[in-house]
Structures are given as structure tokens and as C-alpha cells.
């Protein structure tokens, strides 16, 4: 009888492919934020879509489909990074600088270094809050933690980034002297 219930659930929902199609660009951007490589990001999204498809009948509220799939992508990306434990190279010549000043370029390099040193959960907080504009409440639901915990972790993570950015700027300034 369980297969009939599963079949009924699938028939009463929009097709998985339709929901993924709406989210595909966002899922790719999230994956790329973690792995910083086009091919790896595509692999992460593909693997996450397979995982999502296999678990689609278990999601209870389709209103949370976007955050549910985003979480699968994040976990898949983190798993890939843990398996590889590689240093992710940064190629400044590939970034879009469009006539920006040397100071701005150095600041971007500092920020990239700081973000690459954060724990995956800290990176996730920053990406969800400032890159995808999720609210604190949405992040709390998404990460299955109390709202106050998310606020505190976000505050500590931002303080860590600020402190490191101030120190990093001085280091680069000494190099140019």
C-alpha cells in the first residue's frame, strides 16, 4: 500500500523538474560560491538534483522547496570539498575588475582569503544572509537552529571577518611599500 501513497503524493504535487527549473540558476550560484569552479559547481548541482529527486516525496511543505534544495546543494558542495581537501586557487585575472583601483583589488583579495579560512557553516551563514538575502528566520529554519543562535553566530562570523580584514589590509600595505 505504501507505493500507492507515494504515487498519490507525486501526482498531487508539481513535477520535480518544474520546481528545479525555477531554482537552477540560484542552485548553481550557491554551488559555485563553495567550489569556485564551473565544472565542479555543475557536478554539485547535478548530484544534488539526483538526491533531491530521490527524496522529493518526503518533503512535507513545498513552500520550503527552494531552501530544501539549497541545503542539499550546500551539503553536497561541502562533501565534495571535504573529499578533496584541495586548496582552491584564485585567479585574479579572471575576476571582473573593470577599471577598479588597486586598493579595491587588494580588498577583494583580502576578503577572498578571509572567506576561504572560515568554517563551512560560517560561510553558509554569510552566503545565505548577504548573497541570497535570506532573513534570519529563514536561515534559522533552514539550518534547523533557534533564531537567537543564528543571530549570535552571524555576529561572531562578521566580527571575525572584520578583524581579519583590518589585519590583512595592513599586511598588503607593507608589501607595496
Amino acid at each position: 500500500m505504501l507505493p500507492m501513497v507515494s504515487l498519490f503524493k507525486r501526482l498531487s504535487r508539481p513535477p520535480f523538474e518544474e520546481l528545479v527549473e525555477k531554482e537552477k540558476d540560484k542552485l548553481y550560484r550557491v554551488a559555485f560560491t563553495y567550489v569556485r569552479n564551473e565544472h565542479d559547481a555543475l557536478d554539485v548541482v547535478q548530484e544534488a538534483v539526483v538526491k533531491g529527486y530521490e527524496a522529493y516525496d518526503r518533503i512535507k511543505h513545498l513552500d520550503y522547496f527552494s531552501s530544501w534544495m539549497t541545503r542539499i546543494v550546500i551539503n553536497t558542495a561541502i562533501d565534495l570539498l571535504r573529499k578533496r581537501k584541495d586548496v582552491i586557487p584564485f585567479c585574479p585575472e579572471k575576476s571582473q575588475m573593470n577599471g577598479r583601483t588597486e586598493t579595491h583589488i587588494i580588498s577583494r583579495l583580502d576578503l577572498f582569503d578571509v572567506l576561504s579560512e572560515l568554517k563551512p557553516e560560517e560561510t553558509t551563514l554569510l552566503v545565505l544572509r548577504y548573497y541570497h538575502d535570506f532573513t534570519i528566520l529563514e536561515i534559522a529554519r533552514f539550518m534547523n537552529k533557534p533564531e537567537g543562535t543564528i543571530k549570535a553566530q552571524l555576529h561572531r562570523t562578521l566580527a571575525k571577518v572584520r578583524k581579519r580584514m583590518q589585519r590583512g589590509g595592513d599586511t598588503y600595505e607593507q608589501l607595496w611599500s
Side-chain angles (χ1 to χ4, degrees):
M1 181 123 172
L2 284 177
M4 289 298 273
V5 171
S6 179
L7 178 63
F8 179 73
K9 278 185 179 180
R10 285 188 186 256
L11 292 176
S12 65
R13 296 173 169 219
F16 178 79
E17 297 82 8
E18 183 180 302
L19 296 172
V20 168
E21 182 66 29
K22 292 178 186 176
E23 300 293 323
K24 70 180 181 183
D25 293 334
K26 183 176 94 172
L27 297 175
Y28 173 78
R29 285 192 312 268
V30 169
F32 189 86
T33 301
Y34 280 85
V35 296
R36 295 179 182 98
N37 174 309
E38 179 183 353
H39 299 292
D40 289 342
L42 290 171
D43 287 345
V44 165
V45 171
Q46 182 177 1
E47 187 176 336
V49 167
V50 169
K51 289 177 183 178
Y53 181 77
E54 290 171 350
Y56 181 58
D57 59 343
R58 291 187 302 234
I59 186 171
K60 293 178 182 166
H61 302 287
L62 287 181
D63 297 341
Y64 299 119
F65 180 81
S66 176
S67 58
W68 178 72
M69 273 306 299
T70 303
R71 187 73 209 163
I72 293 172
V73 168
I74 289 171
N75 288 338
T76 305
I78 290 171
D79 288 346
L80 177 71
L81 292 174
R82 283 183 183 145
K83 286 177 189 172
R84 290 193 179 165
K85 292 190 180 183
D86 287 340
V87 175
I88 302 168
F90 177 64
C91 302
E93 64 274 2
K94 289 185 181 178
S95 66
Q96 300 172 351
M97 297 191 193
N98 300 332
R100 296 187 177 139
T101 65
E102 186 176 281
T103 305
H104 184 74
I105 293 167
I106 292 169
S107 294
R108 287 187 64 188
L109 289 171
D110 282 342
L111 181 60
F112 181 81
D113 286 342
V114 170
L115 292 177
S116 67
E117 293 173 4
L118 293 176
K119 296 175 186 171
E121 188 171 287
E122 293 170 331
T123 305
T124 299
L125 282 172
L126 294 178
V127 167
L128 292 177
R129 182 71 176 125
Y130 298 107
Y131 187 71
H132 293 291
D133 296 323
F134 279 84
T135 65
I136 300 293
L137 180 61
E138 289 171 328
I139 296 170
R141 286 181 183 156
F142 183 71
M143 298 183 80
N144 200 24
K145 292 185 176 184
E147 214 175 327
T149 301
I150 296 299
K151 286 180 184 178
Q153 288 177 340
L154 189 58
H155 179 74
R156 281 193 302 270
T157 302
L158 287 173
K160 184 188 289 188
V161 169
R162 278 189 208 104
K163 183 178 179 182
R164 182 68 169 88
M165 287 294 292
Q166 289 170 348
R167 213 177 52 225
D170 293 340
T171 305
Y172 285 113
E173 186 175 298
Q174 291 169 2
L175 287 174
W176 294 105
S177 311

